[in-house]
Amino acid sequence: MINLKHIYYINLDDRLLKKEFMENQLSNIGLPYTRVSGIICENFLDYPIESKIKYGSTKHKGTMGCFLAHMKCLEKIYKKYQRIHNNQYFLVLEDDTKIDPSVLHDIQHLSIPDDWEVLFINSAKQYEWSPNLDQAYHINDN
């Protein structure tokens, strides 16, 4: 069983509705959470070329900004906790995540090998974000 220690969510500073959306959900979970400011990547020359070639697209600033925000979040976790010990896990979410308690329960009951440092979980369903989830609709359902 996973000991989920803390939840982090990534949110651009000007996306106040998404911040409210996430914090309304997270406040009901009972775990500590932290907002991490997202990154707008306006100029690719501001970032090392290695990261553009190895990890992200040099043609789409949103992709690079998202990648850099996730790296920023992981860096915050490592700096705060110095060393991650076995059985300490952290969940990183984006600000358009609809948190399903049953999925959160399933995540906490995963059996993860001791030598894994990162587990990427993604939904095959993509939604157009809406502050009112009743208005969310499928973009792609693979």
Side-chain angles (χ1 to χ4, degrees):
M1 185 162 158
I2 291 178
N3 175 19
L4 193 56
K5 188 165 184 71
H6 201 100
I7 297 175
Y8 292 82
Y9 77 95
I10 298 168
N11 169 251
L12 289 169
D13 292 339
D14 64 346
R15 304 287 169 86
L16 299 178
L17 283 176
K18 287 186 175 187
K19 178 183 178 198
E20 180 182 351
F21 168 73
M22 288 303 294
E23 293 193 358
N24 284 338
Q25 294 183 91
L26 291 168
S27 65
N28 295 321
I29 290 177
L31 288 169
Y33 63 88
T34 300
R35 178 188 173 273
V36 176
S37 187
I39 295 175
I40 296 175
C41 186
E42 291 295 336
N43 186 352
F44 287 104
L45 298 177
D46 293 341
Y47 302 97
I49 189 68
E50 298 85 17
S51 65
K52 289 186 275 191
I53 293 170
K54 188 172 181 183
Y55 301 108
S57 167
T58 58
K59 295 182 180 170
H60 194 275
K61 65 184 178 183
T63 301
M64 180 57 78
C66 185
F67 164 76
L68 292 170
H70 278 269
M71 294 306 294
K72 176 181 175 182
C73 193
L74 291 174
E75 185 177 25
K76 280 182 169 284
I77 292 169
Y78 279 104
K79 282 183 178 178
K80 181 173 182 177
Y81 294 95
Q82 298 298 316
R83 182 164 186 257
I84 307 301
H85 301 284
N86 287 347
N87 207 25
Q88 284 186 334
Y89 296 93
F90 306 87
L91 185 60
V92 177
L93 304 171
E94 293 180 14
D95 64 3
D96 57 355
T97 302
K98 179 183 179 204
I99 301 171
D100 181 332
S102 66
V103 173
L104 189 57
H105 176 269
D106 291 345
I107 289 170
Q108 290 178 305
H109 287 84
L110 288 173
S111 177
I112 299 175
D114 290 340
D115 60 344
W116 286 20
E117 293 182 350
V118 175
L119 174 64
F120 178 79
I121 302 170
N122 190 20
S123 170
K125 294 180 181 180
Q126 295 179 345
Y127 296 90
E128 180 66 35
W129 183 85
S130 169
N132 180 351
L133 286 178
D134 295 334
Q135 297 174 1
Y137 59 92
H138 292 279
I139 294 175
N140 182 10
D141 191 2
N142 294 330

